[in-house]
Amino acid sequence: MDTDVPRSAEEIRAVVASLIGTAAADIPDDANLVRLGLTSLDVMRLSGRWRRGGVPVKFDILVADPTVSGWARHIGSLTADDASAS
């Protein structure tokens, strides 16, 4: 199972695009990913995958701001915490 955690907005966009069956270029940073076709089950699966990959993402934060930019901020804050702890 893929546990790679996206480290950039581009990587998040690519993961989401593959799930909703669209081109990554068609997903703006501020687009609501749920309105584009991402389901809550998709978000649960992604958060579980990314936690198994070592980043403790929070499902409720992902759902509260379901945008590429929101997810990039959340993941970035968690990976920045990990980097400063090392």
Side-chain angles (χ1 to χ4, degrees), residues 41-69:
L41 184 56
D42 292 329
V43 179
M44 289 177 86
R45 287 178 176 153
L46 287 172
S47 63
R49 176 178 14 166
W50 295 339
R51 280 194 298 273
R52 285 188 301 278
V55 177
V57 296
K58 303 283 186 188
F59 173 78
D60 58 330
I61 293 175
L62 297 178
V63 174
D65 189 4
T67 63
V68 170
S69 59

Side-chain angles (χ1 to χ4, degrees), residues 9-80:
E10 293 76 23
E11 291 176 1
I12 292 168
R13 193 179 339 276
V15 169
V16 171
S18 70
L19 289 173
I20 64 174
T22 193
D26 293 337
I27 303 174
D29 284 350
D30 61 349
N32 183 312
L33 301 175
V34 174
R35 289 192 177 147
L36 294 179
L38 197 69
T39 67
S40 59
L41 184 56
D42 292 329
V43 179
M44 289 177 86
R45 287 178 176 153
L46 287 172
S47 63
R49 176 178 14 166
W50 295 339
R51 280 194 298 273
R52 285 188 301 278
V55 177
V57 296
K58 303 283 186 188
F59 173 78
D60 58 330
I61 293 175
L62 297 178
V63 174
D65 189 4
T67 63
V68 170
S69 59
W71 290 11
R73 272 191 307 277
H74 179 50
I75 292 170
S77 73
L78 296 170
T79 55

